[in-house]
Each structure stands twice: as structure tokens, then as C-alpha cells.
Amino acid sequence: MAHFLIVEARFYDQYNDWLIEGAKAALEAAGHSHELITVPGALEIPGAVAMAAESGRYDGFVAIGVVIRGETYHFEIVAGESARGLMALTMDGVAIGNGILTVENAAQAEVRARPDQKDKGGEAAKAAIAMFDLGQRFAGE
């Protein structure tokens, strides 16, 4: 059994609740334990994951958040930089599933977040589990 940390940027409560529900269900179905922390925004998720990874207390991470396009360039910065930060950590061998939704509108967010629809929270947790398992495989060789 592995221990995962779900790191959420809480801004859109209902979408986050659905994403977390899906992530927790996937982790529990696979027999893994989890904790949840909240950070101010999606840009803070990679930093929180980096700090938590350094602690050695977690085997993997699930990033959860929702970024909906607005009227300014801010969407591109948040979407791109949060993904870039998480990718940099994965290149260092940290097992992460990216469940940060980057969508055009609320309707897209709902479809992707709901566990009974696209279940992107569950998919992110499954990706984190897969990367953890891969790391274990390579560590054993």
C-alpha cells in the first residue's frame, strides 16, 4: 500500500469536490491511503508537491484544480506554468497525476470533473498510481 497526497487549489468548490471524490475513489479502490491539502491556487500546486516530496512522507501526488479561461492572459500563464512545474517534478522521478482542469467554460469543467462523467480526478489518481508502480518496478531492477 502506498500513501498519496492530493494537493488541491480550491477555487471552484463544486468542481473540486467532484475531482477529489473521483481521486479518492480511485486511490481507495487500488488499496492506497491518502491525505488532502489545499493551496491558494494552481500556481502553488507544484511548489507544495515539491515540499511534500522532499519530506519523504508520500509515495505519490494527485494535483487537483480548475482553471477556467477568462478575459485576460492570466489563464495561459496559470495553465502553462502549473503544468510545467508538475512536469519538471515528474522528470525528477516524482509520481504525479495532473488533474488540473484547464477549460473554456463551466460546462466543460462540470463534464470533466464529475465522477459519473469524464472523472478527471479519478484519471489523475490512476496516473499517479501508474507512475508510482513504474518507479517501484525500476527501483527493483
Side-chain angles (χ1 to χ4, degrees):
M1 177 172 83
H3 189 57
F4 288 80
L5 181 64
I6 301 168
V7 181
E8 73 149 337
R10 181 156 288 267
F11 194 79
Y12 299 102
D13 290 338
Q14 184 60 67
Y15 308 132
N16 275 49
D17 288 346
W18 285 324
L19 289 166
I20 291 166
E21 179 185 339
K24 287 181 176 181
L27 291 169
E28 291 166 6
H32 300 300
S33 61
H34 54 80
E35 292 178 41
L36 172 71
I37 63 167
T38 301
V39 297
L43 287 174
E44 288 75 37
I45 291 175
V49 170
M51 287 185 266
E54 192 170 301
S55 78
R57 292 175 40 202
Y58 305 98
D59 298 303
F61 303 89
V62 182
I64 297 291
V66 179
V67 183
I68 299 176
R69 184 180 299 277
E71 297 176 2
T72 68
Y73 186 69
H74 186 68
F75 172 88
E76 282 82 5
I77 293 169
V78 174
E81 292 302 310
S82 62
R84 186 193 60 76
L86 292 176
M87 183 56 68
L89 291 165
T90 65
M91 298 300 288
D92 289 337
V94 180
I96 304 171
N98 186 350
I100 302 173
L101 302 183
T102 53
V103 297
E104 297 291 328
N105 54 54
Q108 290 179 352
E110 180 173 345
V111 167
R112 285 159 179 75
R114 290 179 65 103
D116 62 346
Q117 292 187 32
K118 292 198 181 257
D119 192 22
K120 294 300 182 179
E123 286 184 14
K126 289 174 186 174
I129 293 167
M131 294 306 291
F132 167 74
D133 290 344
L134 187 61
Q136 293 296 106
R137 176 181 163 202
F138 287 130
E141 290 182 0

